[in-house]
Amino acid sequence: MLKIEPKKGILDIALYQAGSSPRPAQQNVIKLSSNENPYGPSKKSIDAITRHAAGAHLYPSTNHLELRQSIAARFGLSDENIICGVGSDEIISFLCQAFAGPGDEVIHTEHGFAMYRISALAAGAQPVVVQENNRHTDVDAILGACSNKTKLIFIANPNNPTGTMIDATEVQRLADGIPENCLLVLDGAYAEYVSNFDGGASLVQDRENVFMTRTFSKMYGLGGLRIGWGYGSKHVIDILNRIRGPFNLSTIALAAANSALSDLDYVDKCRNENSRLREWLSNALSNLGVESDKSDANFILARFEGAAAAAACYKFLYADGLLVRQVTNYNLPNCLRITIGDEAACKRIHSSVRSFLESIK
């Protein structure tokens, strides 16, 4: 009997574990498990979605020129060096398909985003996990892991799920030290939450061995429409466009993203509120004995005394209608990743964690 087998590496991929979602019968539930913007999309994006809904029967742009031009104008880039995808996840997949395969290695840090490993294995390449330094990207460890087989290096800055980041000097030192035939990919999914930070764009402009990915899913509140983009040399962009499907982004997604870029006041409001409430929640939990590293994203990684305590707190919060993220699959069994919600959500988290700790005394 014919047996259909996948190519090597596919069965090594564990199914992606998404953040918990509310059950239909649950009431007064707050979802803080997927790092979504609690304020949703801007009104400009919502209006754009409504305006373009009637044209959903028409195929979208194949080259995303209008959105690429808007991105370029907003961030001071060249539209010829930009590619758009179904979230930054698709850009990551393109990179692995294009530049890594059997016999090649793809480096990511021990607590790096799960899609790095998944996309590497799907391309037939070997993921190489590099240790971090107290949940921070360790440049020396990455450079030490490089070999003539290394084709891609992924780092998220700020990192998910730790929330930590390294400065521009360290990123540049990494770019300077990697092999000539290797591409450094800077995942900037949370770059908008850091004031006066370009996500690594200036480094991309200076060299051909650095590539940057970004997303509209976090700050812009468009996770449900799946829109991302990448910025790199024309040589790399040309290669990726040969893989990209001609209609990978919908008309509605393109319109929503384009409008989101024009609403600077909304972005500033979301960033400021996130910074204020992130500091409040991290300090409030610290006063309860639950520490977290300084986060530069829209979440904190709360550390408990052990895996059992973290699991018990997760269940306690879940029963209280608060959905946070267990990160055991990221080798952080003693931690819970908590998205920064609005003020009411942060206060509920603080109150519920306090009640949990009192219950186990």
Side-chain angles (χ1 to χ4, degrees), residues 37-237:
N37 186 333
Y39 309 106
S42 76
K43 185 177 184 303
K44 289 186 178 182
S45 288
I46 295 171
D47 289 345
I49 291 168
T50 302
R51 287 197 310 272
H52 286 80
H57 61 296
L58 301 174
Y59 279 103
S61 162
T62 60
N63 63 10
H64 315 138
L65 180 60
E66 185 178 1
L67 179 56
R68 290 191 293 111
Q69 289 177 334
S70 294
I71 292 169
R74 171 68 182 85
F75 296 105
L77 310 175
S78 167
D79 63 88
E80 294 181 347
N81 295 72
I82 295 170
I83 183 173
C84 298
V86 182
S88 53
D89 296 8
E90 188 177 40
I91 308 296
I92 291 167
S93 178
F94 290 162
L95 289 162
C96 288
Q97 289 179 60
F99 297 108
D104 297 328
E105 295 180 347
V106 175
I107 288 176
H108 64 86
T109 64
E110 62 178 313
H111 304 312
F113 183 38
M115 290 308 300
Y116 307 150
R117 170 182 167 81
I118 290 171
S119 296
L121 287 170
Q126 178 61 48
V128 175
V129 181
V130 174
Q131 296 297 301
E132 296 175 4
N133 183 5
N134 290 321
R135 298 167 300 279
H136 288 71
T137 296
D138 188 328
V139 169
D140 290 320
I142 292 174
L143 293 175
C146 288
S147 71
N148 59 3
K149 296 181 179 181
T150 306
K151 294 303 190 305
L152 291 165
I153 298 171
F154 287 101
I155 67 166
N157 204 35
N159 188 41
N160 172 30
T162 63
T164 59
M165 66 182 296
I166 57 176
D167 62 30
T169 302
E170 282 293 274
V171 176
Q172 183 169 329
R173 187 165 72 87
L174 178 57
D176 288 340
I178 63 177
E180 290 184 355
N181 63 337
C182 178
L183 187 64
L184 171 62
V185 181
L186 305 176
D187 181 349
Y190 299 92
E192 282 83 3
Y193 289 98
V194 184
S195 297
N196 302 313
F197 178 54
D198 69 358
S202 56
L203 201 60
V204 175
Q205 290 171 337
D206 293 339
R207 12 181 122 228
E208 295 203 347
N209 69 337
V210 183
F211 190 93
M212 178 184 73
T213 64
R214 300 283 280 271
T215 186
F216 285 88
S217 295
K218 304 304 179 184
M219 176 65 82
Y220 297 103
L222 295 173
L225 292 183
R226 312 305 301 125
I227 317 148
W229 57 281
Y231 179 62
S233 71
K234 289 182 182 179
H235 171 68
V236 171
I237 295 296

Side-chain angles (χ1 to χ4, degrees), residues 273-337:
E273 279 298 280
N274 179 78
S275 296
R276 179 178 71 87
L277 292 169
R278 182 181 62 203
E279 182 177 8
W280 182 87
L281 183 60
S282 61
N283 288 337
L285 293 183
S286 178
N287 289 336
L288 297 177
V290 179
E291 301 294 341
S292 59
D293 296 313
K294 178 184 179 300
S295 172
D296 286 290
N298 67 336
F299 58 86
I300 61 172
L301 186 69
R303 299 196 304 273
F304 294 81
E305 290 185 358
C313 186
Y314 172 83
K315 292 179 180 179
F316 190 96
L317 294 174
Y318 190 90
D320 201 20
L322 295 165
L323 310 185
V324 300
R325 182 68 178 266
Q326 290 182 294
V327 282
T328 302
N329 59 316
Y330 282 98
N331 298 315
L332 291 162
N334 65 320
C335 300
L336 296 176
R337 193 190 68 189

